[in-house]
């Protein structure tokens, strides 16, 4: 009901406007988690590293120094893919997001970037930069969740993790960002590293 009301209000404000067509088309897109790339832990690039022995002595020292300071920044790009099955171009100007690992919300933010998805099966990948302070999460109520996530991310052990991204698109109307009323939810389970 909220979705319908939202589209009716926008259509009354902007009859025949291309923005309405683009947003309506975007709301019909199919979303998936395409990949996760560029992991950085404690300032050290971690892509292609599957165990502690893959890190150099200096990289391990750098991570240890961060931990001694009481912080352990971790960042990764979660690439969300939108597939547009409709006959019109789909587009948005912003994307609000929430990242959830094994049912624990770990980060939230917003991507302010225009994204267009071509019609008739066109695809676009939207990089969502997720930044987490692992030290805060490890000393909270969720240390097992975060350790399991990191091990799953790098393909260590036989644990599985589930990453859920909730996304909410927005469009610029008269210089103001109007946000879609509901989140789209995308979930991916992984056991053997970044893919």
């Amino acid at each position: 009901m909220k979705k319908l009301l939202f589209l009716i209000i926008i259509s009354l404000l902007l009859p025949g406007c291309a923005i309405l067509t683009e947003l309506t088309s975007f709301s019909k897109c199919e979303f998936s988690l395409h990949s996760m790339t560029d992991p950085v832990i404690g300032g050290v690039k971690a892509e292609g590293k599957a165990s502690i022995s893959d890190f150099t002595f200096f990289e391990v020292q750098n991570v240890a120094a961060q931990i001694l300071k009481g912080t352990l920044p971790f960042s990764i790009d979660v690439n969300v893919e939108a597939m547009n099955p409709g006959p019109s171009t789909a587009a948005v100007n912003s994307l609000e997001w929430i990242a959830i690992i094994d049912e624990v919300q770990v980060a939230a933010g917003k991507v302010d970037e225009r994204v267009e998805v071509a019609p008739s099966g066109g695809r676009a990948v939207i990089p969502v930069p997720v930044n987490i302070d692992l030290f805060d999460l490890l000393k909270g109520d969720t240390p097992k969740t975060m350790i399991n996530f990191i091990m799953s991310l790098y393909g260590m052990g036989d644990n599985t993790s589930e990453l859920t991204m909730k996304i909410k698109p927005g469009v610029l109307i008269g210089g103001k960002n109007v946000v879609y009323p509901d989140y789209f939810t995308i979930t991916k389970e992984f056991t053997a590293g970044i893919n």
Side-chain angles (χ1 to χ4, degrees):
M1 183 66 182
K2 283 195 296 186
K3 294 177 189 176
L4 180 61
L5 183 59
F6 174 76
L7 293 174
I8 290 171
I9 290 170
I10 297 296
S11 66
L12 291 174
L13 293 172
L14 300 165
C17 183
I19 293 172
L20 176 62
T21 303
E22 290 175 347
L23 181 62
T24 303
S25 295
F26 197 85
S27 72
K28 294 177 182 171
C29 283
E30 296 169 13
F31 299 98
S32 62
L33 290 180
H34 180 271
S35 59
M36 292 180 283
T37 55
D38 300 324
V40 177
I41 186 164
V44 175
K45 292 188 178 211
E47 195 148 34
K49 296 179 176 164
S51 73
I52 194 73
S53 63
D54 292 334
F55 290 86
T56 68
F57 174 76
F58 296 109
E59 289 172 333
V60 172
Q61 274 193 322
N62 191 38
V63 172
Q66 294 290 324
I67 293 170
L68 289 173
K69 291 179 190 173
T71 184
L72 186 55
F74 175 77
S75 64
I76 193 165
D77 286 340
V78 177
N79 299 304
V80 175
E81 183 176 67
M83 192 279 287
N84 180 5
S88 303
T89 297
V92 293
N93 293 91
S94 66
L95 202 65
E96 294 180 12
W97 59 268
I98 298 171
I100 300 165
I101 297 171
D102 294 334
E103 300 181 13
V104 176
Q105 181 176 325
V106 296
K110 183 178 176 187
V111 175
D112 283 315
E113 182 180 323
R114 181 164 173 82
V115 175
E116 294 185 4
V117 189
S120 304
R123 295 174 186 270
V125 175
I126 308 159
V128 176
V130 175
N131 298 292
I132 306 167
D133 187 339
L134 290 175
F135 196 80
D136 285 343
L137 293 170
L138 289 170
K139 67 183 179 186
D141 296 331
T142 59
K144 187 176 178 185
T145 298
M146 292 304 101
I147 291 167
N148 184 46
F149 168 69
I150 293 167
M151 289 181 71
S152 297
L153 194 63
Y154 293 106
M156 295 184 273
D158 56 0
N159 297 317
T160 62
S161 272
E162 186 177 83
L163 173 65
T164 299
M165 293 295 291
K166 292 187 166 203
I167 58 171
K168 186 187 288 192
V171 291
L172 284 176
I173 299 174
K176 187 169 182 165
N177 193 43
V178 178
V179 179
Y180 198 72
D182 292 323
Y183 282 98
F184 296 95
T185 301
I186 315 156
T187 300
K188 183 173 186 175
E189 189 176 274
F190 54 97
T191 56
I194 299 170
N195 48 35

